[in-house]
Amino acid sequence: MQPFRITPATSAHGPASSGARQIAGGTNLVDLMRLGVERPAALVDLDKLPAPSLRGITRLPDGTFRIGALTRMAEALADPALCAALPMVAQSLALAASPQIRNMASLGGNLLQRTRCPYFRDVSWPCNKRERGSGCAAMEGITRHHAILGTSGSCIAAYPGDFAQAALALDARIEITGKGGLRRMNLARLHRLPGGTPDAETALDADETITAIYLPAPGWARRSLFLKRRERAAYSFALVSVACALDMAGDRVREVRLALGGVATIPWRAVPAERLLAGERLTEECAHAAGVAAFADAVLRPDNAFKRDLGVAMIVRALIAARDLDITEARP
Ligand SMILES: Cc1cc2nc3c(=O)[nH]c(=O)nc-3n(C[C@H](O)[C@H](O)[C@H](O)COP(=O)(O)OP(=O)(O)OC[C@H]3O[C@@H](n4cnc5c(N)ncnc54)[C@H](O)[C@@H]3O)c2cc1C
Ligand code: SF4
């Protein structure tokens, strides 16, 4: 690992010097520094910041959960009110990483973790995300774990996280602090499609820090769940994941939220599927049609074509399971 300086953060906005990076739990950043993918000259340690608003979970009068960005994944999982109100959020966290990592990893850092594309993580390969214009080794490589939605001719790397899908399905917002002050943004705007500049991954400015995440918690979101298929039963990233929340009026869908992981370059809201389901009686056929609609724009490669069929099947399973939940009983 290249030498670096580490200093405590002195304010809740991004590093002043260029070449410096913010660090929270370090479970992603230090990993990438060891591999030589990230080579910051200095680290600014957010964890040392004496700012209570960056930590912990509070419930606002309208029921929304405000989560400080430094809150650990394990802390969120230990919050009974959050887990009861938003089962899909709790399940997305419980199915992620390992207990040890969840004790270190912050939710802000989880949203901003970088792709697990093996060519990105091995600096001997060309990679447009690591170095703009250098090429993409995955295009002619092994693509089992790569994206089929939101890809470009420059990059097909999948977004790896789980929590972002559950938060996206809830129309979460994030609070961002920079030198220019504080702003809020829909989470849907945080991650950028790769296009021709896959190295520009988010809408954050260099001097900005995510300070909080706001998760709306309407009563019907108790009818929600998170499904994840992966290579191993634990300690593994998603091949395909589905965050699903249903607002039902009798046997008809009043509103549905579907977000997909493992299949797209950014956390992916399955808007065509949501539109198709609104107002419909939720049968297996209807759920299948929604699944097919969700993947209508998929660009498949021989290694990762299976993700479409798997994704359709998982959407059907998630919708039917959510429909059949007894939400008076629903607990993570
Ligand atoms: C073996 C392993 C398995 C894993 N499995 C999963 C999994 O199944 N699902 C899953 O979702 N995740 C998984 N993870 C990823 C893990 O959850 C993330 O590494 C972690 O959440 C990142 O949080 P952190 O606080 O450690 O971030 P850091 O490593 O400190 O930072 C990550 C990035 O975010 C930036 N950053 C951090 N906080 C802020 C902030 N508040 N504002 C602005 N920038 C910030 C940093 O500069 C850095 O670029 C796994 C990790 C490992 C090592
Ligand atoms: S898919 Fe993206 S991250 Fe992977 S090698 Fe290509 S450009 Fe790099």
Side-chain angles (χ1 to χ4, degrees):
M1 199 191 299
Q2 117 173 342
F4 61 90
R5 272 182 302 111
I6 181 155
T7 52
T10 50
S11 63
H13 58 64
S17 64
S18 66
R21 294 293 299 275
Q22 304 176 86
I23 186 166
T27 60
N28 186 231
L29 183 56
V30 174
D31 193 20
L32 293 172
M33 287 169 67
R34 284 202 190 100
L35 295 168
V37 173
E38 300 255 24
R39 302 168 68 84
L43 293 180
V44 176
D45 189 355
L46 290 172
D47 220 29
K48 299 286 183 292
L49 202 59
S53 66
L54 273 135
R55 294 178 181 81
I57 300 173
T58 46
R59 194 119 196 222
L60 305 180
D62 70 355
T64 297
F65 289 92
R66 181 193 185 280
I67 308 180
L70 290 180
T71 305
R72 302 308 198 218
M73 293 168 77
E75 289 173 60
L77 259 175
D79 187 297
L82 178 74
C83 293
L86 300 173
M88 71 179 166
V89 171
Q91 291 159 14
S92 76
L93 294 170
L95 292 171
S98 65
Q100 291 89 339
I101 290 171
R102 294 196 294 265
N103 278 332
M104 278 302 289
S106 69
L107 287 170
N110 190 278
L111 291 177
L112 294 171
Q113 66 180 291
R114 306 194 71 192
T115 181
R116 309 298 290 192
C117 170
Y119 306 104
F120 168 79
R121 290 170 63 82
D122 180 341
V123 294
S124 65
W125 293 98
C127 170
N128 291 322
K129 195 182 272 300
R130 239 189 299 108
E131 193 184 336
R132 188 180 293 189
S134 63
C136 171
M139 295 293 171
E140 304 299 326
I142 297 167
T143 54
R144 177 169 171 77
H145 292 273
H146 288 76
I148 59 175
L149 291 167
T151 57
S152 75
S154 297
C155 181
I156 56 171
Y159 173 81
D162 294 312
F163 169 65
Q165 278 68 245
L168 183 68
L170 290 165
D171 284 334
R173 289 168 71 74
I174 51 173
E175 177 187 283
I176 299 163
T177 307
K179 294 205 181 74
L182 188 142
R183 65 179 175 128
R184 297 229 174 110
M185 180 197 282
N186 290 336
L187 177 63
R189 288 194 44 229
L190 175 64
H191 299 94
R192 284 191 172 148
L193 287 167
T197 54
D199 53 319
E201 292 177 309
T202 74
L204 292 185
D205 291 334
D207 70 353
E208 289 186 318
T209 304
I210 298 179
T211 41
I213 301 152
Y214 290 84
L215 298 179
W220 54 263
R222 286 188 298 132
R223 188 184 294 287
S224 72
L225 50 83
F226 185 88
L227 298 183
K228 177 172 174 178
R229 277 298 290 273
R230 46 191 165 172
E231 304 275 17
R232 296 186 304 263
Y235 205 40
S236 176
F237 290 86
L239 285 169
V240 182
S241 67
V242 180
C244 172
L246 268 179
D247 186 6
M248 298 293 286
D251 62 353
R252 289 189 182 271
V253 176
R254 188 180 286 131
E255 193 177 342
V256 58
R257 308 286 180 78
L258 280 168
L260 308 176
V263 290
T265 50
I266 58 175
W268 195 263
R269 188 85 177 256
V271 176
E274 293 179 351
R275 289 206 181 115
L276 192 144
L277 288 161
E280 296 297 319
R281 186 167 288 118
L282 186 44
T283 60
E284 292 227 3
E285 293 70 31
C286 179
H288 186 266
V292 171
F295 288 96
D297 294 331
V299 177
L300 309 178
R301 288 161 190 275
D303 293 343
N304 66 15
F306 76 96
K307 285 189 175 182
R308 180 177 57 185
D309 293 345
L310 181 59
V312 172
M314 284 179 62
I315 287 177
V316 174
R317 222 178 98 205
L319 285 166
I320 300 302
R323 179 196 70 184
D324 294 344
L325 274 177
D326 176 357
I327 63 168
T328 57
E329 299 287 326
R331 290 292 181 273

